[in-house]
Amino acid sequence: MSSAGLHAAMLGHASNVVAGLLLAAMIAACVYCARDLWLRGTLRAWCVVGLMNIAMIAVHLPAPSHHRGIQVATAGQQSTLMGLATAVAAVEVAVAMAVLYYRTRGNAQLVSGEPAR
């Protein structure tokens, strides 16, 4: 839900319809994924969370000034929000990795031939 909130904060700064629609789609995807995690918490959902956050970091980190849909006058606020979004994404990746490790660590023992404890 934190990612949806950060996208919503950026929505007010979108200068064209395409950027606004893209941000709205990202908000919907974040809410859908958060709902899936809350209701089911499947390994697939945790994997999607981790991969989407890694993708977000990969897309935004190399060129944080490439957002043409954001007004130039809000560049300071944009970089603050982008830094916060990147930090939140990194935390979400770490949490997803921890959950995936915890929930699958018993499967690795079964594959290696050792009995599960």
Side-chain angles (χ1 to χ4, degrees), residues 7-89:
H7 285 115
M10 293 299 289
L11 188 60
H13 301 288
S15 62
N16 61 42
V17 176
V18 175
L21 289 174
L22 185 61
L23 284 168
M26 287 187 264
I27 292 168
C30 290
V31 170
Y32 175 80
C33 199
R35 179 184 173 275
D36 194 28
L37 281 174
W38 185 260
L39 293 178
R40 295 179 193 91
T42 62
L43 293 177
R44 177 195 166 277
W46 282 108
C47 190
V48 168
V49 167
L51 291 174
M52 289 304 295
N53 281 292
I54 289 171
M56 193 286 291
I57 292 170
V59 167
H60 292 297
L61 198 57
S65 62
H66 76 280
H67 300 286
R68 293 188 181 103
I70 307 300
Q71 297 171 355
V72 176
T74 62
Q77 184 178 9
Q78 175 198 352
S79 63
T80 301
L81 283 173
M82 192 59 66
L84 181 60
T86 302
V88 168

Side-chain angles (χ1 to χ4, degrees), residues 101-113:
Y101 171 76
Y102 178 78
R103 293 198 38 207
T104 60
R105 72 181 195 274
N107 293 340
Q109 291 173 350
L110 292 175
V111 170
S112 68

